[in-house]
Amino acid sequence: MATRKVRHIGDPVLKKVCKPVKKMTPNLLTLIDDMFETMYEAQGVGLAAPQVGIVRRICVVDVQDEDPVVLINPELLESSGEQTDDEGCLSVPGKCASVTRADHIVVRALDRDMNEVTYEVEGLKARAFLHEMDHLDGILYGERANEPYHDIEEDEEEDLQ
Ligand code: NI
């Protein structure tokens, strides 16, 4: 495993609509492992493939050391409720902004063995899923935010990215 370079806002790869994964390959398995390592090293709770320059519909999420999840070709099946909180992104370093998102979602995706899995999640985990899934359509959270990006206060920094 290795960490990969995280692309920052302004890099055109972050605006791309990513392509679905049709079959698992050794290269994609390595990519998934590297994405987890990159996310953990940066103390993030999620990372999407375009953030490391790969235009594929793959993202990883691990909220507060729960189960690490890889979502391949994720689809949003249901969403309900509303939550508003500050969000950050490894591709927009040092910044945050308030975003309102669904509070409860159902997502269908493939796992690393290309088996279909359905996730029903809420709260911070739902926020992380939706944030990462947006990356697969070239959307950064700033486009959904209730306010412009602003600097993260130092004491908040650890919680957000
Ligand atoms: Ni992000």
Side-chain angles (χ1 to χ4, degrees), residues 51 89-90 131-132 135:
Q51 293 183 273
C89 178
L90 297 176
H131 175 118
E132 299 312 329
H135 275 297

Side-chain angles (χ1 to χ4, degrees), residues 55-67:
V55 187
R56 288 283 169 178
R57 302 189 81 78
I58 300 174
C59 44
V60 297
V61 175
D62 190 354
V63 175
Q64 295 169 334
D65 300 321
E66 289 183 30
D67 290 330

Side-chain angles (χ1 to χ4, degrees), residues 15-55:
K15 305 293 289 176
K16 303 259 191 209
V17 175
C18 297
K19 295 182 208 120
V21 174
K22 292 195 176 128
K23 83 182 198 341
M24 190 44 66
T25 64
N27 279 347
L28 290 178
L29 287 172
T30 300
L31 170 67
I32 293 165
D33 290 340
D34 289 354
M35 285 172 64
F36 275 112
E37 188 167 335
T38 303
M39 174 182 76
Y40 290 131
E41 190 190 69
Q43 296 181 308
V45 298
L47 188 72
Q51 293 183 273
V52 292
I54 307 293
V55 187

Side-chain angles (χ1 to χ4, degrees), residues 102-126:
D103 188 47
H104 179 268
I105 59 171
V106 179
V107 170
R108 183 170 60 207
L110 301 173
D111 67 12
R112 60 187 294 143
D113 300 315
M114 298 297 272
N115 294 318
E116 204 172 273
V117 184
T118 301
Y119 299 91
E120 184 168 359
V121 295
E122 57 187 13
L124 182 59
K125 199 166 189 177

Side-chain angles (χ1 to χ4, degrees), residues 14 46-48 51 87-92 101 128 131-132 135 139-141 161:
L14 295 172
L47 188 72
Q51 293 183 273
E87 230 166 86
C89 178
L90 297 176
S91 292
V92 191
R101 295 195 188 266
H131 175 118
E132 299 312 329
H135 275 297
I139 297 168
L140 293 178
Y141 76 95
Q161 304 187 339

